[in-house]
Amino acid sequence: VTGTLRVAGSEVRIGALGAGLERLAAHRGPLPLISDARVLGLHGGPLLDRLPVEPLLVPEGEEAKRWPVLEALLHGLARLDPARDTPVLLLGGGSIGDVGGLAASLFKRGCPTVFIPTTLLAQADSAVGGKTGIDFADLKNLVGTFHPPTLVLADPSLLATLPARELHAGYAEVVKYGLIDDPDFFAWCEADGASVPAGHLPNTEFAVRHGLAAKGRAVEGDERDRSGQRALLNLGHSFAHAIEAEAGLGRVLHGEAVAIGLVLAHRLSARLGLCPPADSARVERHLASVGLPVRLADVGVSGTPLLAPMRADKKNEGGGLNLVLSHGIGRAFLARGVPVDAVASFLAEA
Ligand SMILES: NC(=O)c1ccc[n+]([C@@H]2O[C@H](COP(=O)([O-])OP(=O)(O)OC[C@H]3O[C@@H](n4cnc5c(N)ncnc54)[C@H](O)[C@@H]3O)[C@@H](O)[C@H]2O)c1
Ligand SMILES: [Zn+2]
C-alpha cells in the first residue's frame, strides 16, 4: 500500500521504497548519504545501486548526536561540495535524522533533505516535525534547528531487521499518540498494539500512518514550537529526557525512557488529583504488557536526581515546572508552574 500525505512541510510517502527512489534519479550527484554502517549494510543497497550517492557514516544510535560528529559531517559535505539544491539523503533512525538534519540545515545555510527512516520511532514520529539536534553539555537536544525534510520515504518493511528492543522503544512513541488526545487509538493499542513490535506489517503501517498524521495535526501552525500548541507532543518527555541524562545518554533508549515517562506523567497526575488512578494504572499495564520498562527501578535510575535536569528543561518559564499532565486517557494538557516541591516529593517516592 502506498500513500502520500503532507505533514508539516514534508511530503511523506508510506510504502515500498522503490517508487520514491525514482524521484531522486534526476539528481546528477554526488548525493551525500548520511547513515551508519549497520543501516547502510542492511538497507543501503538499493540507494548505492541506483543513485550516485556518497556515504557519510556516523556512529550508531545516540553516539551520533555529538558535536565532533556534526563537525565531521560538515567536513564531509564540504569535501563532496553538493550544489545547494542537491538533497542530502538521511538513512537511519531518529539519531541519523537529528544529526544529519542539523548538518544539512547548517551547510550552505540549508540544503534540502530526504529522510528514509529505518526505525519505528523515526517512521511513526521523528521523521516529521522538523526538529534537528545534538546533545550538548550533557543535555538532550540542547543544540539544534528546525529543518523539515522535503521528502520522507517511510517503508515499514525496512523495520524487519530492527532489533526487538528498538521496536519496542519506538512503540512507546506510538502509544503516546493515543494518550495525548485519542482514547480510541489507545484502545486499539490495548487490543492489537502488541502486534506492532511483534512485526505485523499491516498493523505497523497503520500505526506509522496514525503517528505521522497525529504529529502533523499537532505541529501544523506551530512549526517552530513557539505557541505551546506542540507542547502536548512532549507528554512523558520531561521525565524521559531526565532519565536519559541520568542513566548516561545512550544507555536507556529514548523510547524506553518515554515509556517510563508516560507512566510517571499519569501517576503524578493521579497523585495531584487530576487523573483517575484507574487510567494511570491502564497506561502502566499496557506498556508493561508489551515488555517496556515502566518503573525507574527497571532501568536502574532513582527519582530524586531527575529533578535537576527537569528544572533545567528548556520549556520551563518562571517559578514552577511546565509539564504535560493528564486528566485521563487521551486527555493530556499542559500544566504550567507545577510546584517544584510536589514534583520533588513525587520523584523521591517514585
Ligand atoms: N527530531 C525529533 O522530532 C525526534 C523525535 C523523537 C525522537 N528523536 C530522537 O531520536 C533518537 C532515537 O532514534 P531511534 O529510536 O530511531 O534510534 P537510533 O537512530 O538511535 O538507532 C538505534 C539503533 O538502531 C539501528 N538501526 C536503525 N535502523 C535499523 C534497521 N532497520 N535494522 C537494524 N538496525 C537498525 C541503528 O544502527 C542504531 O544502532 C533519540 O536521540 C531521540 O531523542 C527525535
Ligand atoms: Zn520522543
Side-chain angles (χ1 to χ4, degrees):
V1 190
T2 304
T4 302
L5 53 162
R6 284 214 65 86
V7 184
S10 300
E11 177 185 343
V12 181
R13 297 178 63 106
I14 302 173
L17 202 53
L21 291 186
E22 260 144 47
R23 293 267 306 275
L24 301 172
H27 292 280
R28 298 246 301 308
L31 284 176
L33 169 63
I34 298 176
S35 190
D36 67 49
R38 175 193 304 271
V39 174
L40 189 72
L42 288 167
H43 299 295
L47 285 86
L48 293 161
D49 290 349
R50 294 159 67 169
L51 300 170
V53 295
E54 290 284 347
L56 298 173
L57 296 184
V58 302
E60 287 180 26
E62 197 72 26
E63 280 294 297
K65 292 177 56 173
R66 291 168 49 240
W67 186 269
V69 176
L70 174 66
E71 187 181 2
L73 282 176
L74 292 170
H75 277 295
L77 291 172
R79 181 169 50 76
L80 295 175
D81 193 31
R84 218 180 57 164
D85 59 353
T86 300
V88 174
L89 310 188
L90 312 173
L91 175 71
S95 299
I96 298 286
D98 281 5
V99 68
L102 178 55
S105 78
L106 295 173
F107 188 69
K108 297 188 178 176
R109 299 203 181 85
C111 300
T113 57
V114 173
F115 191 5
I116 303 168
T118 63
T119 64
L120 178 58
L121 179 141
Q123 291 194 1
D125 180 10
S126 79
V128 298
K131 288 189 178 179
T132 78
I134 53 171
D135 306 327
F136 199 78
D138 290 327
L139 289 172
K140 278 279 290 187
N141 303 331
L142 188 69
V143 171
T145 58
F146 290 94
H147 192 61
T150 48
L151 179 63
V152 175
L153 303 175
D155 180 351
S157 76
L158 301 190
L159 305 181
T161 57
L162 198 60
R165 186 179 171 200
E166 298 286 348
L167 271 170
H168 284 86
Y171 180 68
E173 298 271 21
V174 169
V175 173
K176 180 185 82 175
Y177 286 107
L179 295 176
I180 290 174
D181 64 354
D182 195 340
D184 291 344
F185 184 68
F186 183 74
W188 180 84
C189 289
E190 288 180 311
D192 289 325
S195 65
V196 173
H200 186 281
L201 201 56
N203 284 356
T204 301
E205 174 158 338
F206 172 74
V208 165
R209 190 178 295 280
H210 191 92
L212 291 175
K215 183 149 183 190
R217 284 194 301 277
V219 168
E220 215 77 64
D222 186 19
E223 277 74 7
R224 299 214 150 224
D225 199 5
R226 287 286 180 252
S227 75
Q229 177 196 322
R230 280 176 80 139
L232 299 188
L233 292 173
N234 241 36
L235 179 61
H237 277 61
S238 302
F239 292 103
H241 289 157
I243 292 166
E244 289 179 84
E246 183 56 23
L249 289 174
R251 299 244 179 141
V252 177
L253 299 181
H254 175 70
E256 293 171 338
V258 168
I260 299 171
L262 291 172
V263 172
L264 291 178
H266 285 81
R267 281 177 52 202
L268 175 59
S269 303
R271 183 179 158 125
L272 296 173
L274 299 165
C275 167
D279 282 19
S280 169
R282 243 176 102 188
V283 175
E284 180 164 348
R285 202 176 322 118
H286 177 57
L287 292 169
S289 77
V290 299
L292 277 161
V294 290
R295 295 279 170 149
L296 292 172
D298 294 342
V299 296
V301 165
S302 49
T304 298
L306 303 182
L307 189 64
M310 287 181 70
R311 293 184 75 173
D313 192 288
K314 48 190 178 307
K315 294 182 177 67
N316 293 325
E317 56 201 5
L321 302 182
N322 286 355
L323 288 177
V324 183
L325 296 178
S326 179
H327 291 305
I329 304 281
R331 299 177 61 206
F333 70 99
L334 178 62
R336 292 179 190 275
V338 180
V340 173
D341 289 355
V343 180
S345 66
F346 171 72
L347 287 173
E349 289 164 35

